[in-house]
Amino acid sequence: MPAAAAKRAAELRHSTANWGTIPRQSRGLIAIVAWIAATAAHAVADERPLHQRIDEFTASASLGPAAPLASDADFLRRVYLDLVGTIPDVATARAFLADPAPDKRAVLIDRLLADPRFARHIATTFDVMLMERRRQRALPGSEWTISDDAWREYLRQSFADNKPLNQLAREILSADGVDPALRPAVKFYFDRDGDPDLLARDIGRLFFGRDLQCAQCHDHPLVADYLQADYYGLKAFVNRGLLFDDAKEKKLFYAENADGEVTFKSVFTGEGRDYVLPKLPQGPPVSEPVLVTAEAYVVAPAKNVRPIPKYSRRAQLAALATDGGNDAFNRNLANRLWAMMTGRGLVHPLDMVHSANPAVESRLLALLADELVKMKFDTRAFLREVALSETYQRASEMPTPADLPVDATTAAATMAAWQSQAEKLASELPGLEAAAKSTADAFDATYEKFSTAAAAREAATKAHGETKKASDEVSTALAAAVKDAAVKDDVLKALVEARVKADAAVAKLPDDKPLAEAAAQFKNRANEVDTQLAELRKLINEKQPQVQAASLKLADTDKLLQQAAAELTVARAALDTAEAGARDARLKFRTAQGEAAELAARITAGQAVLDYLALSAAAAQSQAATHAANQHYADVKAQASIAIDELLAAEDAGLAAAEKAADDAMAASIAWKALADNATVRFLLSSFKPLSPEQLGWATMQAVGLVDRQATSLAEQAKKDVEAKAELSPEQRDAEQVRLLDARLEEKLRGNVKCFVSLFGQEPGQSATFQATVHQALFLANAGVVTDWIKPAESNLADRLAKLEQPADVANELYLGVLSRLSTDDEIERVTDSWPATNEDRAAVASEMVWGLLTSTEFRFNH
Amino acid sequence: MKCHYACQSEEHLLARRQFLGTMAGAAGGAMIGMPRVVQAALPELAGKRKHILVFYLAGGLSQLESWDPKPGTDTGGPFRAISTSVPGTHICELLPHTAGQMHHLSIVRSVNTKENDHGKGKICMTTGRRQEPVAEYPHLGAVGAKMLAPEQLPLPGHIHISSRGGGGPGSDAAFLGPKYASITLGNGEPPQNTARPAGLSEASDARRNAFRAAANARFARRRRTADSDAFISSFDQAQQLMERRDVFDVTKEPAADLERYGNHEFGRHCLLARRLLENGVSCVQVNHSNYDTHYENFDFHIEQLGEFDRPFATLVADLVDRGMWNDTLLIVMAEFGRTPKINNYFGRDHWGTAWSVLLGGCGIRPGATIGKTNANGTEVVDREVDHGHLFHTYLRAVGVDPALKIDAGGRSIPVADPAASAITELLA
Amino acid sequence: MSETTATPQIAPEQTHQVAEFKHDSPLLSCRFDPSGQYVFASAHDFTIQRWELASGKKTPLTGHGSWVWSLAFHPTSGTLYSGGYDGKLIFWETAAEAPAPQRTIDAHSGWVRAVAVSPDGQLLATAGNDNLVKLWSAADGAHVDTLTGHAHHVYNVAFHPTQPIVVSGDLKGVIRAWDIATGEELRQFDGAALWKYDEGFGADIGGVRSMAFSADGKHLACGGITEVSNAFAGIGTPLVVVFDFETGQKVQSLATTKKFRGLASDVFFHSQGFVAGSTTGHDGGHVLFWKLDKPEEFFALKLPDSARAMQLHPDELRVGTAEPGGNVRVWQMTAKAT
């Protein structure tokens, strides 16, 4: 609000109200407000449908003003765009608007949730959310990686099967590309080049709603909640991942090693951690099996071999995040699904969850998260409840000030209640902060012990490894010697026998020289072997004690290793306790802080309402004053004898009053706009959502009649193909025919959508923010693809219009076709004025009108 | 939050309403995604509008054959150094015309980007930051378009002129968004979709736009947001751009000028750059290809610089004569320089270790020489700088605070790498 | 050494190194003086180096302000003419104890890429980056004529051995024969195969890098690089195009069987009926030997380093090559003396 108005408001506030003291008659009201808060807090036990409780929360968290329900037409267009990503065809629109049934909105919601386009639209939304239009990883032979189409089809099928969202997330986070059925899921890692930092950041953002990037080099300078330890705790899960090119299979995989520790140091303080254990944001460090490297692998890493660890940190990440027990994960999903429908997160931006950026209504976010878990992460069921809520169905334009349903007294009471809550919280904060601080220090101390123990164990492992090697060497040497000796021993026996026999023979044939020589031979050889044997025995005798020594030493180091491991486990246990304590205290503190901030925001918004009330009252007053002044001036002028000084004075007074009235009116109207902004943020007023590039493409093709034309031309074939499938029941056939037609339609028109994406989409890797560029406008104005669609042809919209005689019919067909609503009288009038009398001129005018509406703000935005 | 629009209120307040509307918008800091700081920093609030003109000598100009010659040394090659209009400053004999303009220009001879890869070097030099997988940063021209161009300028704020390519917006604006991405005029062709489609008469176009305006007016009575206003104004910009389409038509320039610039592709591109700047385009990059001379570096530099020298020098002189020089920052850069060592094929290879960048015009001290390399150019010996320092210098030169934070979907990101700083002695 | 043996059999396949001279700067050109006593080579350090073949004695010739690309000798007067990238043409006394510039002429604006001396010793021809071919008096360096017509850098120039004609070739492979007396262009030869405009880089590559006449003047050989796939990496193959001088028709395109990468830096006709060309480039140095009847070489001598220049010694037995590594090597095309 501009300074002038703010100042004025402040003055008035001072004069009209002093919130410190609460009027007696409102005491009861506070009680009521408190009661609402209480019941809402225990809303978990509440059995009413979720959508009702949603509305209760959004109402109880504001003073208003709340917009009424949107018109049927606005709702129709909105829910089509949000659930199936395009606008309704003319027939559907006409039928819905004419339908008197009170439950027609609910019926429509269910129909759209069952529509095959629902799965694709949600898939597209998740594709853009998860991949942020990153370029497909360019590899030598990109067939090694995952194509955009394969990934999108995987997502589409997942939503078509209504696969639980946590399961989808698990498949993506644990993906390695091995299981053919789940292979496309690994694109999340592929297109980020498996870069641990990029992954740590994006997993934090997309799965936990926390952008920890700024905590990479130091604790986040602006966000107290985001610690460097959180960032690296997350990074530790993916740090062991590696992209693996399998030349044999001609495929890329996302493999994982069994080692690779994460360490960090703050560039500010220089403090850091040498042993970072994987942990989820706000979660405890994961306790891991302590494996010796040799046993760490199912398949050990080697050249051209994809390693498979026994223990996968990534599998842990996937399991821990998605088992329904992780609050950050659940809330992030709930918040993102909510934002898909309402255009804003309860926490906004979606990846800035922290205590200084609290949810508009954290109790509501908690409720949504819990319910999402209860629903077993059923996307359809969840979105259905949101769509059914009045909050979702509210109008996107402000009610007039006259409709503002705020009674000053009630408002004052509610405000007072909020304020006392705020004061209570404020008084608790210091204590909580102190507790957080002391437990954090305690943790640091235990960490020191832990890291010493960890270092000791590392050393012990190393020592053990070396001793083992040495002892193995000596014992193998000994074994060899013994074996050799045995052989030689054998030979010796044989020789001795032979010698004895030979000597005997010599004795019998003393003159036989050769025989004597042979005998001598035996003797000599026997002696040789004998000496060799002696040497061997000597060697063995030397080695034996060495072996014993070695094995003793080994036993010692083994003991040491066991000890070190034991000590580590103890230290680890201590660390975990300390960590749990610190985390708990920290969480309490941060949560309280968050509540305080949330309450403050609520109070500010409430204050804006009161400011407006004051300002508008003042405006009315000064307006009256102006009338009086003018009247006085008129009277003076009417006097028989005009006293010129008096007249001038009266004139000045009149002008001054008018000026003041203008200022007050201005201030009031600005304050009113401020309310509109608050109302949007607090979901009392539906926000304008720019159509996504895909929505814009499909909606445009639907509006001009291109989709219907293609559908008719494809329907015949689809029907044939389905009839060919005898095994299907009639109902199955209908369903299958719809699915088949939708798939072929999408395939046929995909190319056009790409045009829109390339011009209206964000840059790769950036989060989507609305930007209207001159190139988009030029595309819509002059590009052949668009201008061809709006030329009358083959019963497209322009063609249908050109064939109509009555301007009123033209107007209705036109507005139903493009804006999904009936035309107003003034619009019919305008069409009537410009509708040519003669046929030949109508084609051009029809195109002009279609284009005029296609490029209007009403078409460009979802409202 | 969206800016406040005091609409739906009494007609007689219209003028002041808009006044207050904008003020509120500035305070709210959400004028079409533009953060408060930027709003405040818009040079239009502070005198004349600034421009950035980049000459990108793709492939890597040899500093030894241009701004930092080393004649008569083992690395010097065959060319001689010539004196310039700045006493004591010598450049390579291949740039005689440029030599006559050096009193307007300044050389940084001590660039060390430690980067010898084409792609990464280009990222360093055009974004002022090293490539990181985690984040992409906007091209200097995109930053300039956002900071220097008025919101409602019908012409694109960021134009590249090349031999080939062209078509839709490039992808170099990162978190600034497509609005600031470069438009490439492939060999002087105007941007796509800037001509009214054949078969659509002017009258018909007027009628359909009138119909659009009426629809918008009606809808605005229900609700207006900064987004819806931005959408509407993008069509006004489109119309103005189409009306000014001949801005991209260099043949509209006097034949005599075409002659002075040399009637060849690069000459025409330089003249087109002048035309674009004169028509208010904030950032123009002229690409000259190619200098990646691993082979017969010397013959190729004769050919390429022979083409470059005269049109470039003519453009500098013209910008000075036409009083645009003090508002136009000129930069001659490449992804890196070339090795002092001459390889066996008379070539020079990739070299980010000790090379030169040429600057001039807006905010730059003329005739300066910053930094030094050793006798045969194998290392920087004085005032070593890298892409970060240069990027800070560019921004400071055009009056943009390098510490400025830009709001990117909730995160605020400093426009220049906070770790670096400007080459202050080079700033005027 | 081979001089002593009586008329040894020329056998290119037997070519072997017989001498090596070193300099500490990469070498550019390589020429023997008519007496065959010396070999001259120019270098990146702007000098010309003279080695006495017999003793290996090395003497520097300093005077140029840039690289010297071309050396030529008067057939009788003992004068050496050098053309440099400083645009100068310098006269030297070939055999002087310490040769010094005798006469220095500003021959061209931009590089002098080639110098040639007429067979009768009357004229000098120079070619340069100013797209001009100029004729000078070999005796006093007086300017005789300027032959204009080339639209690009002129890379080479050569005198016809028997007729009053000078031939020049430029970057784009345009080869012109000029009447010395009138300065008229007589005919053109199409050497376009030796040039390419690389779209990717936006630059020209090629040129008539080497040029030679057969002794009888029937044939003109022009060498360079062809089939260029990447100009800035110098990916192309050597080619020598041989023309029938009278008809101007191409009689043979001498290429390489292995298609290795490089260009034909120098070329000569041997009286025994073969043509030899030196190569420099990514696949190193070679001397290729061709017969005119076949496009493929009959022998390729692999050199230890690129041959930026090559010349046949007056004795027709030996060949000299100059290398970027700073070496001049002398090779003999006969069986090794055992």
Side-chain angles (χ1 to χ4, degrees), chain A residues 222-227 282 354-358 422 424-440 580-598:
Chain A
L222 308 173
V223 180
D225 298 24
Y226 293 176
L227 301 182
Q282 290 186 342
H354 60 83
S355 55
N357 180 41
K424 183 165 168 299
L425 266 170
S427 66
E428 292 165 352
L429 279 176
L432 293 169
E433 182 165 22
K437 174 87 180 64
S438 60
T439 47
R583 179 155 35 85
D584 182 55
R586 178 181 165 72
L587 197 61
K588 283 205 180 72
F589 173 51
R590 292 296 173 203
T591 316
Q593 264 191 330
E595 283 167 9
E598 181 182 339

Side-chain angles (χ1 to χ4, degrees), chain A residues 1-2 71 74 134-135 192 195 197-198 201 205 211 213-214 216 222 231 344 349 351-352 395-398 401 659 662-663 665-666 669-670 672-674 676-677 680-681 685-688 690 758-767 769-784 787 790-791 814-815 821 824 826-827 830-831 834 844-845 847-858 860-861 863, chain B residues 1-10 12-13 16-17 20-21 23-24 27 32-33 132-137 146 153-156 168-183 191-198 200-201 203-205 207-232 234-239 241-242 405 408-412:
Chain A
M1 181 164 39
S71 68
D74 279 346
R134 291 181 180 282
R135 292 185 200 83
R192 289 173 172 82
D195 179 88
D197 285 303
L198 180 51
R201 180 189 175 207
R205 286 174 56 227
D211 183 352
Q213 189 193 353
C214 298
Q216 182 180 349
L222 308 173
Y231 177 88
R344 283 187 65 88
D351 57 6
M352 273 295 164
S396 60
E397 64 248 55
M398 273 302 269
E659 181 66 8
D663 285 342
M666 187 68 241
S669 99
I670 288 169
W672 179 253
K673 281 306 298 178
D677 297 328
T680 315
V681 172
L685 180 65
S686 284
S687 55
F688 268 25
S758 68
L759 265 171
F760 293 82
Q762 76 260 40
E763 304 246 324
Q766 303 295 331
S767 43
T769 48
F770 175 80
Q771 238 176 11
T773 74
V774 68
H775 312 293
Q776 297 164 356
L778 287 165
F779 168 77
L780 294 173
N782 304 330
T787 45
I790 58 175
K791 286 203 194 86
L814 174 66
Y815 282 85
R821 66 174 173 87
T824 61
D826 57 322
E827 285 163 344
R830 186 177 177 93
V831 172
S834 43
V845 177
S847 306
E848 291 163 15
M849 290 176 170
V850 173
W851 185 86
L853 290 192
L854 276 178
T855 52
S856 68
T857 44
E858 189 175 350
R860 179 68 180 86
F861 291 90
H863 38 79
Chain B
M1 84 183 223
K2 301 272 167 275
C3 47
H4 306 99
Y5 285 86
C7 47
Q8 301 166 13
S9 53
E10 304 70 12
H12 73 271
L13 283 173
R16 312 180 37 194
R17 174 168 81 229
L20 285 164
M23 296 315 291
I32 309 144
E132 339 170 358
V134 180
E136 277 179 40
Y137 293 96
K146 181 171 178 99
L153 180 75
L155 299 172
S171 168
D172 48 17
F175 50 76
L176 297 182
K179 185 179 165 93
Y180 305 101
S182 62
I183 290 300
Q192 67 184 9
N193 301 328
T194 47
R196 195 186 319 116
L200 177 67
S201 73
S204 178
D205 196 22
R207 278 199 303 274
R208 65 179 197 170
N209 277 295
F211 199 78
R212 177 177 60 83
N216 288 341
R218 183 193 172 282
F219 194 66
R221 271 185 257 117
R222 291 181 57 188
R223 186 165 173 192
R224 276 173 65 192
T225 65
D227 285 355
S228 62
D229 284 4
F231 178 65
I232 291 171
S234 70
F235 279 84
D236 305 340
Q237 289 186 38
Q239 267 176 319
L241 175 52
M242 289 165 69
K405 291 214 164 49
R411 290 183 309 128
S412 92

Side-chain angles (χ1 to χ4, degrees), chain B residues 303-326:
Chain B
E303 181 168 3
Q304 304 303 57
L305 289 178
E307 195 172 83
F308 172 85
D309 183 40
R310 186 158 76 106
F312 172 74
T314 311
L315 179 53
V316 172
D318 279 3
L319 292 177
V320 172
D321 295 347
R322 295 168 177 234
M324 299 162 66
W325 189 243
N326 294 337

Side-chain angles (χ1 to χ4, degrees), chain C residues 30-42:
Chain C
C30 174
R31 291 290 181 265
F32 294 102
D33 75 305
S35 75
Q37 263 185 284
Y38 304 105
V39 63
F40 290 76
S42 56

Side-chain angles (χ1 to χ4, degrees), chain C residues 58-206:
Chain C
K58 177 179 169 187
T59 311
L61 286 65
T62 58
H64 275 286
S66 182
W67 294 2
V68 175
W69 193 254
S70 49
L71 301 170
F73 298 88
H74 192 279
T76 53
S77 76
T79 306
L80 159 67
Y81 307 97
S82 63
Y85 283 179
D86 52 4
K88 297 197 177 349
L89 170 64
I90 299 184
F91 291 34
W92 316 78
E93 186 187 345
T94 305
E97 181 58 30
Q102 294 176 314
R103 176 175 277 106
T104 300
I105 300 168
D106 286 318
H108 292 268
S109 69
W111 297 359
V112 175
R113 286 184 181 264
V115 179
V117 185
S118 63
D120 62 7
Q122 292 301 306
L123 288 176
L124 290 179
T126 59
N129 279 5
D130 52 8
N131 303 350
L132 299 176
V133 176
K134 292 186 177 179
L135 298 177
W136 318 83
S137 152
D140 59 13
H143 177 261
V144 174
D145 198 358
T146 296
L147 310 176
T148 58
H150 282 290
H152 303 278
H153 296 170
V154 188
Y155 274 65
N156 246 309
V157 63
F159 281 94
H160 191 279
T162 61
Q163 302 174 32
I165 295 176
V166 67
V167 176
S168 58
D170 67 21
L171 168 64
K172 295 201 172 180
V174 177
I175 301 155
R176 296 182 146 94
W178 314 82
D179 179 322
I180 291 173
T182 65
E184 296 300 315
E185 181 181 318
L186 298 172
R187 72 180 75 98
Q188 283 198 14
F189 303 82
D190 175 12
L194 299 172
W195 162 78
K196 173 184 178 176
Y197 179 73
D198 188 314
E199 289 287 342
F201 292 109
D204 296 291
I205 176 166

Side-chain angles (χ1 to χ4, degrees), chain B residues 110-425:
Chain B
S110 49
V111 182
N112 180 2
T113 49
K114 306 183 176 67
E115 185 50 73
N116 294 338
D117 172 88
H118 283 294
K120 293 178 183 157
K122 186 173 187 176
I123 288 171
C124 286
M125 290 306 292
T126 55
T127 71
R129 284 169 161 104
R130 227 169 269 290
Q131 184 179 37
E132 339 170 358
V134 180
E136 277 179 40
Y137 293 96
H139 186 290
L140 172 64
V143 174
K146 181 171 178 99
M147 302 295 175
L148 306 179
E151 260 315 304
Q152 299 309 318
L153 180 75
L155 299 172
H158 179 197
I159 294 183
H160 290 192
I161 306 172
S162 279
S163 307
R164 280 176 294 285
S171 168
D172 48 17
F175 50 76
L176 297 182
K179 185 179 165 93
Y180 305 101
S182 62
I183 290 300
T184 297
L185 307 181
N187 196 17
E189 290 301 309
Q192 67 184 9
N193 301 328
T194 47
R196 195 186 319 116
L200 177 67
S201 73
E202 196 168 349
S204 178
D205 196 22
R207 278 199 303 274
R208 65 179 197 170
N209 277 295
F211 199 78
R212 177 177 60 83
N216 288 341
R218 183 193 172 282
F219 194 66
R221 271 185 257 117
R222 291 181 57 188
R223 186 165 173 192
R224 276 173 65 192
T225 65
D227 285 355
S228 62
D229 284 4
F231 178 65
I232 291 171
S233 71
S234 70
F235 279 84
D236 305 340
Q237 289 186 38
Q239 267 176 319
Q240 295 166 44
L241 175 52
M242 289 165 69
E243 282 155 17
R244 302 185 55 188
R245 192 160 184 266
D246 63 0
V247 164
F248 306 101
D249 183 357
V250 74
T251 62
K252 293 279 191 299
E253 291 290 326
D257 282 352
L258 273 168
E259 207 31 63
R260 287 194 305 125
Y261 278 79
N263 203 344
H264 52 73
E265 185 183 87
F266 183 71
R268 285 189 297 276
H269 289 179
C270 289
L271 184 53
L272 178 56
R274 187 188 80 181
R275 186 175 173 83
L276 293 171
L277 290 167
E278 278 181 330
N279 281 279
V281 175
S282 295
C283 299
V284 177
Q285 173 169 316
V286 182
N287 298 318
H288 192 222
S289 180
N290 184 289
Y291 291 82
D292 192 18
T293 54
H294 295 280
Y295 185 77
E296 300 193 337
N297 169 77
F298 306 102
D299 297 84
F300 285 128
H301 272 78
I302 291 176
E303 181 168 3
Q304 304 303 57
L305 289 178
E307 195 172 83
F308 172 85
D309 183 40
R310 186 158 76 106
F312 172 74
T314 311
L315 179 53
V316 172
D318 279 3
L319 292 177
V320 172
D321 295 347
R322 295 168 177 234
M324 299 162 66
W325 189 243
N326 294 337
D327 304 303
T328 309
L329 169 66
L330 178 142
I331 308 159
V332 180
M333 65 161 74
E335 49 266 59
F336 39 57
R338 308 213 71 84
T339 48
K341 183 183 184 352
I342 300 164
N343 67 27
N344 284 359
Y345 324 109
F346 299 108
R348 296 191 191 268
D349 302 311
H350 301 174
W351 177 253
T353 311
W355 58 291
S356 306
V357 165
L358 188 78
L359 293 90
C362 179
I364 297 297
R365 189 158 61 85
T369 302
I370 306 295
K372 247 169 83 198
T373 52
N374 63 1
N376 60 356
T378 56
E379 62 177 339
V380 173
V381 292
D382 175 41
R383 187 50 166 128
E384 177 169 308
V385 299
D386 69 11
H387 47 278
H389 302 97
L390 289 164
F391 203 80
H392 275 255
T393 310
Y394 305 151
L395 295 181
R396 288 274 299 275
V398 293
V400 173
D401 174 6
L404 202 66
K405 291 214 164 49
I406 295 190
D407 169 71
R411 290 183 309 128
S412 92
I413 299 172
V415 62
D417 182 350
S421 59
I423 307 166
T424 44
E425 66 269 35

Side-chain angles (χ1 to χ4, degrees), chain A residues 429-600:
Chain A
L429 279 176
L432 293 169
E433 182 165 22
K437 174 87 180 64
S438 60
T439 47
D441 296 345
F443 173 71
D444 288 343
T446 33
Y447 174 79
E448 287 318 311
K449 293 206 189 68
F450 167 76
S451 84
T452 334
R457 182 178 160 278
E458 252 183 16
T461 321
K462 193 158 163 295
H464 182 267
E466 281 157 4
T467 349
K468 179 102 176 49
K469 192 157 161 291
S471 105
D472 290 353
E473 276 163 9
V474 280
S475 28
T476 31
L478 176 60
V482 171
K483 187 156 165 290
D484 198 4
V487 175
K488 289 239 168 7
D489 209 38
D490 230 36
V491 175
L492 187 59
K493 277 199 191 69
L495 284 170
V496 172
E497 263 175 46
R499 198 187 98 208
V500 175
K501 287 204 169 67
D503 287 352
V506 172
K508 290 196 172 76
L509 300 169
D511 304 338
D512 189 325
K513 250 194 167 59
L515 191 62
E517 282 163 8
Q521 278 289 339
F522 282 123
K523 187 174 185 196
N524 299 342
R525 192 57 53 82
N527 294 340
E528 277 170 30
V529 176
D530 198 27
T531 44
Q532 290 173 358
L533 207 49
E535 279 161 17
L536 272 175
R537 295 232 168 73
K538 191 150 153 291
L539 182 69
I540 291 170
N541 293 336
E542 285 167 15
K543 286 267 179 245
Q544 265 157 346
Q546 286 179 17
V547 171
Q548 280 153 2
S551 65
L552 285 177
K553 189 147 178 267
L554 186 57
D556 292 347
T557 49
D558 200 42
K559 208 176 289 126
L560 288 176
L561 180 55
Q562 301 308 335
Q563 273 169 20
E567 278 156 21
L568 181 57
T569 326
V570 175
R572 174 58 201 268
L575 186 67
D576 289 350
T577 334
E579 196 279 338
R583 179 155 35 85
D584 182 55
R586 178 181 165 72
L587 197 61
K588 283 205 180 72
F589 173 51
R590 292 296 173 203
T591 316
Q593 264 191 330
E595 283 167 9
E598 181 182 339
L599 210 50

